[in-house]
C-alpha cells in the first residue's frame, strides 16, 4: 500500500473560465493531468480533498479517475492574487521508479550562533530544484544551522540529499548564510545635487539636431 | 533622498488607470515576511524612503529589509496660483504604481513579533490598506 495520499476526481467536459469560476464557487477545483504520451484529461477535484495535500507538502498523489488509479506528480499549482485559494492544479503522470524534476522546499531549523552574536540569517534559496526517482522524492529538505557562525555559509554541496537525488544548482551556490548587519550608506551631496532630475535618453541628440 | 530613476526615455508620462490585480510581484521572493497591498494606488519615492527609515529604525540589526517597488512613473504638477493652459506641468514627483496584491516590502531574519510591529509602523505611512504576509508551508 502506498503512503501517498489519494485524490479522487471527476472528469469534466465543460471547459473555460466562466465554468471554472462557477466550479470554484461550488467548492471544486479544476485541473488537468497529462504525461506518458496519453491524452490530457481535464478534471474537477474537491477543494476539501486537495487543499490538505498541498498544505502537507506532498508532491506525489495516487490519482483516481474513472475507476483507474495512477501515480501523479503535482506539477503546478495556480493560486489567486492573494494566495488565499487554489485556482487550478496540473498533474503529471509518473511511474514509481521514474526520475522526475521538481522543486522541494528548504526548511531552516535551529538557532545559529552567528545570529546570537548579532548577525542576520539570510536564506538565499527557499526551494531546491532536484531530480530523483518518484519514490524517493522528499516533502522538504531540512537544513540545521546550529553550527553556523558569523560569516559562515551552507552551500548546496553541504545539503544532505536522499539517495539517487541530484540538484541542478551548482555545488558552490550559497543556500543560507549569516551576515553582519550593514549600515545604509550616507547619500553623497554631489549625487543629490546632480540627480534632481533623471537624465533623458536621447535628449542631447535631439538638441544637437535642432 | 527620494528614489527616482537614473535615466528615463521620456520626462513626462500620461496618467493611466490602475486596472485589475497584480499577477506579478504578488508573492514573497526574498524574505519570510511581507507587506502586501490590498488596494490600488501610487506610492511616491518620498513615502518609500519614509517607510524604509521607519522599518530600519525598528528592525535595526535584527533582520534585512527588501523594498519590492520602485517609483518609475513621473507625475507632473502645475505651479501654485497659475492659470490653466500653457501646456503640461513640470515633473513634480516619482511614484510606484501599485495593484492590489503587490508585495511592497519584505523582511528576512526577523521574528514574527518584530516583523509584525515593524510593518505596522510602515503601514501607517502608506496610502492604502495592506496586510502581513508570512512564508508558510503549502502556499507560495
Amino acid at each position: 500500500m502506498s503512503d501517498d495520499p489519494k485524490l479522487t476526481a471527476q472528469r469534466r467536459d465543460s471547459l473555460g473560465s466562466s465554468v471554472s469560476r462557477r466550479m470554484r464557487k461550488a467548492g471544486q477545483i479544476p485541473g488537468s493531468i497529462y504525461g506518458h504520451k496519453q491524452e490530457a484529461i481535464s478534471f474537477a477535484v474537491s477543494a476539501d480533498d486537495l487543499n490538505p495535500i498541498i498544505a502537507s507538502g506532498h508532491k506525489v498523489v495516487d490519482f483516481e479517475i474513472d475507476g483507474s488509479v495512477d501515480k501523479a506528480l503535482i506539477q503546478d499549482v495556480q493560486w489567486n492574487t492573494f494566495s488565499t485559494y487554489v485556482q487550478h492544479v496540473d498533474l503529471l503522470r509518473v511511474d514509481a521508479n521514474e526520475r522526475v524534476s521538481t522543486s522541494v522546499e528548504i526548511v531552516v531549523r535551529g538557532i545559529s550562533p552567528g545570529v546570537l552574536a548579532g548577525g542576520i540569517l539570510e536564506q538565499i534559496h527557499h526551494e531546491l530544484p532536484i531530480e530523483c526517482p518518484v519514490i524517493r522524492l522528499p516533502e522538504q529538505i531540512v537544513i540545521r544551522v546550529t553550527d553556523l557562525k558569523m560569516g559562515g555559509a551552507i552551500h548546496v554541496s553541504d545539503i544532505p540529499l536522499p539517495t539517487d537525488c541530484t540538484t541542478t544548482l551548482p555545488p558552490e551556490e550559497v543556500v543560507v548564510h549569516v551576515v553582519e548587519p550593514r549600515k545604509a550608506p550616507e547619500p553623497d551631496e554631489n549625487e543629490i545635487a546632480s540627480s534632481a532630475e533623471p537624465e533623458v535618453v536621447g535628449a542631447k541628440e535631439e538638441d544637437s539636431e535642432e | 533622498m527620494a528614489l527616482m530613476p537614473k535615466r528615463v526615455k521620456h520626462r513626462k508620462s500620461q496618467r493611466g488607470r490602475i486596472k485589475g490585480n497584480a499577477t506579478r510581484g504578488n508573492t514573497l521572493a526574498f524574505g519570510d515576511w511581507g507587506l502586501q497591498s490590498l488596494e490600488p494606488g501610487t506610492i511616491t519615492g518620498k513615502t518609500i524612503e519614509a517607510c524604509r527609515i521607519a522599518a530600519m529604525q525598528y528592525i535595526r540589526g535584527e533582520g534585512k529589509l527588501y523594498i519590492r517597488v520602485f517609483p518609475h512613473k513621473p507625475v507632473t504638477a502645475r505651479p501654485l496660483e497659475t492659470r490653466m493652459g500653457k501646456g503640461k506641468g513640470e515633473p513634480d514627483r516619482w511614484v510606484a504604481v501599485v495593484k492590489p496584491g503587490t508585495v511592497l516590502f519584505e523582511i528576512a531574519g526577523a521574528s514574527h513579533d518584530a516583523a509584525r510591529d515593524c510593518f505596522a509602523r510602515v503601514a501607517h505611512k502608506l496610502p492604502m490598506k495592506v496586510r502581513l504576509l508570512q512564508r508558510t508551508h503549502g502556499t507560495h
Side-chain angles (χ1 to χ4, degrees):
Chain A
M1 183 69 189
S2 167
D3 293 337
D4 298 323
K6 193 173 180 182
L7 189 65
T8 308
Q10 299 82 44
R11 190 183 283 264
R12 66 185 167 107
D13 298 322
S14 48
L15 308 174
S17 58
S18 55
V19 175
S20 299
R21 191 165 51 242
R22 280 194 287 273
M23 202 180 287
R24 288 184 203 109
K25 277 187 181 172
Q28 297 278 308
I29 296 172
S32 56
I33 182 167
Y34 44 81
H36 283 181
K37 296 184 177 174
Q38 295 176 28
E39 61 155 348
I41 300 172
S42 300
F43 62 84
V45 64
S46 167
D48 295 336
D49 293 344
L50 182 65
N51 288 338
I53 295 172
I54 292 171
S56 69
H58 273 97
K59 291 276 184 183
V60 182
V61 293
D62 288 331
F63 182 73
E64 183 182 349
I65 189 165
D66 298 340
S68 67
V69 180
D70 284 330
K71 279 231 176 292
L73 177 76
I74 299 177
Q75 179 87 338
D76 189 30
V77 180
Q78 289 178 25
W79 295 82
N80 71 327
T81 301
F82 301 99
S83 302
T84 47
Y85 62 85
V86 175
Q87 284 191 318
H88 188 273
V89 63
D90 274 15
L91 301 180
L92 178 71
R93 289 188 195 97
V94 288
D95 286 332
N97 292 312
E98 187 181 336
R99 288 184 77 82
V100 291
S101 298
T102 186
S103 297
V104 178
E105 187 185 16
I106 297 173
V107 179
V108 174
R109 291 267 186 266
I111 297 172
S112 155
V115 172
L116 296 175
I120 297 171
L121 185 80
E122 200 176 346
Q123 189 174 350
I124 310 296
H125 291 281
H126 293 275
E127 284 188 340
L128 190 71
I130 66 168
E131 190 189 324
C132 70
V134 171
I135 51 171
R136 296 194 191 278
L137 195 61
E139 288 169 19
Q140 60 186 26
I141 291 170
V142 177
I143 298 178
R144 303 222 167 259
V145 292
T146 45
D147 295 331
L148 198 60
K149 293 176 182 163
M150 180 76 83
I154 293 176
H155 299 85
V156 171
S157 54
D158 302 328
I159 299 176
L161 289 174
T163 321
D164 286 352
C165 288
T166 54
T167 177
T168 51
L169 283 180
E172 67 275 10
E173 186 89 3
V174 174
V175 179
V176 182
H177 63 170
V178 177
V179 291
E180 284 189 31
R182 283 189 305 175
K183 282 188 175 178
E186 293 292 324
D188 188 14
E189 294 288 331
N190 297 331
E191 192 183 330
I192 294 171
S194 63
S195 61
E197 195 166 317
E199 176 193 347
V200 180
V201 179
K204 285 179 183 173
E205 286 85 351
E206 283 175 13
D207 292 344
S208 61
E209 282 173 14
E210 286 170 5
Chain B
M1 61 175 284
L3 292 167
M4 71 169 73
K6 283 183 181 165
R7 298 173 79 220
V8 290
K9 209 164 183 181
H10 305 287
R11 286 180 64 228
K12 302 174 185 177
S13 77
Q14 295 188 326
R15 187 183 298 270
R17 279 182 65 198
I18 305 172
K19 295 194 288 185
N21 293 333
T23 55
R24 296 186 294 178
N26 58 347
T27 56
L28 290 175
F30 305 104
D32 304 316
W33 309 94
L35 198 65
Q36 187 180 39
S37 158
L38 296 174
E39 293 175 335
T42 56
I43 306 177
T44 66
K46 278 184 184 175
T47 306
I48 295 172
E49 180 65 8
C51 292
R52 186 190 68 81
I53 291 168
M56 291 309 292
Q57 282 174 348
Y58 194 82
I59 61 165
R60 191 190 304 267
E62 198 185 335
K64 187 169 181 182
L65 180 77
Y66 297 89
I67 302 172
R68 295 281 306 274
V69 287
F70 186 85
H72 289 286
K73 189 179 178 70
V75 174
T76 59
R78 307 188 66 82
L80 292 175
E81 298 179 7
T82 50
R83 291 181 181 274
M84 290 293 108
K86 308 294 181 208
K88 191 171 171 71
E90 289 301 305
D92 181 56
R93 58 193 179 275
W94 292 83
V95 297
V97 177
V98 172
K99 288 185 171 188
T102 306
V103 176
L104 307 172
F105 300 94
E106 288 185 30
I107 289 178
S111 64
H112 174 257
D113 290 344
R116 187 192 57 208
D117 294 348
C118 172
F119 279 146
R121 285 166 61 99
V122 171
H124 276 295
K125 301 194 180 297
L126 290 170
M128 59 199 51
K129 283 185 184 173
V130 289
R131 72 164 186 163
L132 183 68
L133 270 189
Q134 180 183 1
R135 186 181 291 278
T136 51
H137 203 60
T139 60
H140 68 235

